[in-house]
Amino acid sequence: GPWARVTTGDPDVRGLTGILPGLSCQQANLAWETALRRVYADRLDVFAAVVPTLGVVIGLALDLSTRSLAVGYLLPTAPAVLLAAQGARVQREIADRKAVLQASVASALELAMSAPGFEDDELWAEARRVQDCLFEQRERTERVLGSVYERQRDEDELVMQGTVDALKARVAGIEQ
């Protein structure tokens, strides 16, 4: 099917039918991306706090004048600190938008699970709307630094598969 496992890192949705594979992939993807962006925002915030603090500590340790500290360290690092703070804000805004989509998918999953075999045009339309929103957001949003993505990747793939496995277990329990 169109939601089958196609690349490494995609959750294995075999055994799910109808709209469930699509919704479960969306749920796993949104949970992963929301968490990744929040982790990245936190790291940017740490950078934005540590850089000026480090400068002040070094300035005090070297007994630098306020002017020397400002001109020699704080002013040259200010653009990087401001970019990091702005980047953190943007990443949180994106995560917040993804969280709204995630709640929408969770509601659709609950509806689909409430009556096994129940599917209607509204559920499919909601899945399509979410997919369109994801595509639109990916085209115009800030990226996450590749090293942050790679560092989180293995753990995030396990979380994504765990999300799908929990849904599979729930479906199996309903079908019995």
Side-chain angles (χ1 to χ4, degrees):
W3 297 96
R5 184 182 179 101
V6 293
T7 63
T8 302
D10 290 340
D12 180 358
V13 295
R14 289 177 292 194
L16 296 175
T17 60
I19 198 167
L20 293 178
L23 291 175
S24 66
C25 282
Q26 287 177 336
Q27 184 74 349
N29 175 274
L30 287 162
W32 158 75
E33 190 170 356
T34 300
L36 178 65
R37 289 183 181 280
R38 291 192 195 287
V39 164
Y40 187 44
D42 289 346
R43 290 182 183 174
L44 289 170
D45 279 339
V46 167
F47 176 85
V50 167
V51 169
T53 302
L54 184 62
V56 170
V57 169
I58 290 170
L60 289 172
L62 297 177
D63 198 27
L64 296 177
S65 69
T66 303
R67 176 184 156 93
S68 295
L69 177 62
V71 171
Y73 184 81
L74 296 176
L75 288 176
T77 60
V81 170
L82 292 173
L83 282 174
Q86 179 185 10
R89 181 186 54 76
V90 168
Q91 291 297 332
R92 281 198 180 79
E93 288 172 358
I94 294 167
D96 290 346
R97 287 196 302 268
K98 301 284 182 174
V100 169
L101 291 174
Q102 189 177 359
S104 176
V105 171
S107 295
L109 271 169
E110 286 302 316
L111 183 57
M113 297 291 293
S114 66
F118 171 77
E119 294 181 19
D120 68 1
D121 291 341
E122 285 185 37
L123 277 177
W124 285 102
E126 182 59 12
R128 177 77 263 155
R129 184 191 71 76
V130 167
Q131 202 62 34
D132 291 345
C133 287
L134 288 171
F135 178 74
E136 178 185 318
Q137 287 179 11
R138 281 201 183 103
E139 280 193 320
R140 61 186 179 114
T141 59
E142 299 288 326
R143 304 288 184 230
V144 171
L145 192 62
S147 61
V148 174
Y149 168 78
E150 288 300 326
R151 198 168 291 126
Q152 296 288 123
R153 183 177 177 173
D154 291 340
E155 180 183 328
D156 289 342
E157 286 180 1
L158 289 173
V159 169
M160 287 174 60
Q161 188 59 52
T163 301
V164 172
D165 289 346
L167 179 62
K168 285 181 176 181
R170 192 167 164 207
V171 168
I174 290 173
E175 291 176 349
Q176 291 178 354

